[in-house]
Amino acid sequence: DVLDPERLIQCPYNKHHRIRACRFPYHLVKCRKSYPEVAKELATCPFNARHLVPQADLSNHIMKCNDKGFIEQDIGNQSSGFQREQMNAVSTWQAPPCDEDWET
C-alpha cells in the first residue's frame, strides 16, 4: 500500500538502505550529506521531493510521475474555487453621504 507509513522504501543514495516510509524524508537529508558524489548525479522531482532520479532520467520521470496528477488537480481546484468566489462576491461599498447640492 502506497500510503502505509511502515512500508520499506529503497534509498536512492545507497541501495542497501531500506527505510520505513514515515522516516524516509529524514533519511534522505542524512544520506545526501553522507553521499555527496551520488547526490550530484541525482535530480529531485518537482512534484515530490522524495523522488530522486538520475539527472538524465528526470524529464522521463516528470512525464510519468504519479504525483503530477495531484498537483494539476490541486491547481485546477484552486483556480475554480477562486473563480467561484469572484462570481459570488457582492460589493459592500456604499457612497459616503454628500452635503453638497450641485443644483444650487
Side-chain angles (χ1 to χ4, degrees), residues 13 27-37 39-40 42 44 52:
Y13 298 107
H27 180 84
L28 287 177
V29 171
K30 179 182 164 195
C31 249
R32 181 179 198 95
K33 292 176 185 174
S34 299
Y35 299 94
E37 291 304 314
K40 289 178 187 175
L42 297 177
T44 304
L52 296 168

Side-chain angles (χ1 to χ4, degrees), residues 17-28:
H17 292 174
R18 309 254 312 146
I19 304 92
R20 289 181 297 142
C22 61
R23 298 289 310 154
F24 195 65
Y26 307 105
H27 180 84
L28 287 177

Side-chain angles (χ1 to χ4, degrees), residues 2-94:
V2 202
L3 300 176
D4 179 14
E6 297 300 316
R7 83 181 193 289
L8 295 176
I9 303 174
Q10 184 176 351
C11 173
Y13 298 107
N14 183 329
K15 304 299 181 192
H16 299 290
H17 292 174
R18 309 254 312 146
I19 304 92
R20 289 181 297 142
C22 61
R23 298 289 310 154
F24 195 65
Y26 307 105
H27 180 84
L28 287 177
V29 171
K30 179 182 164 195
C31 249
R32 181 179 198 95
K33 292 176 185 174
S34 299
Y35 299 94
E37 291 304 314
V38 178
K40 289 178 187 175
E41 298 173 9
L42 297 177
T44 304
C45 170
F47 305 113
N48 187 335
R50 296 177 184 189
H51 297 168
L52 296 168
V53 295
Q55 290 182 1
D57 299 341
L58 182 61
S59 59
N60 188 36
H61 172 83
I62 288 172
M63 289 190 305
K64 297 178 180 178
C65 182
N66 292 334
D67 293 330
K68 178 170 70 171
F70 295 122
I71 300 295
E72 290 171 343
Q73 181 181 0
D74 191 39
I75 289 170
N77 289 342
Q78 286 179 357
S79 65
S80 66
F82 177 75
Q83 290 169 349
R84 256 185 268 117
E85 287 174 20
Q86 292 297 315
M87 289 172 43
N88 294 335
V90 177
S91 176
T92 57
W93 183 84
Q94 293 181 349

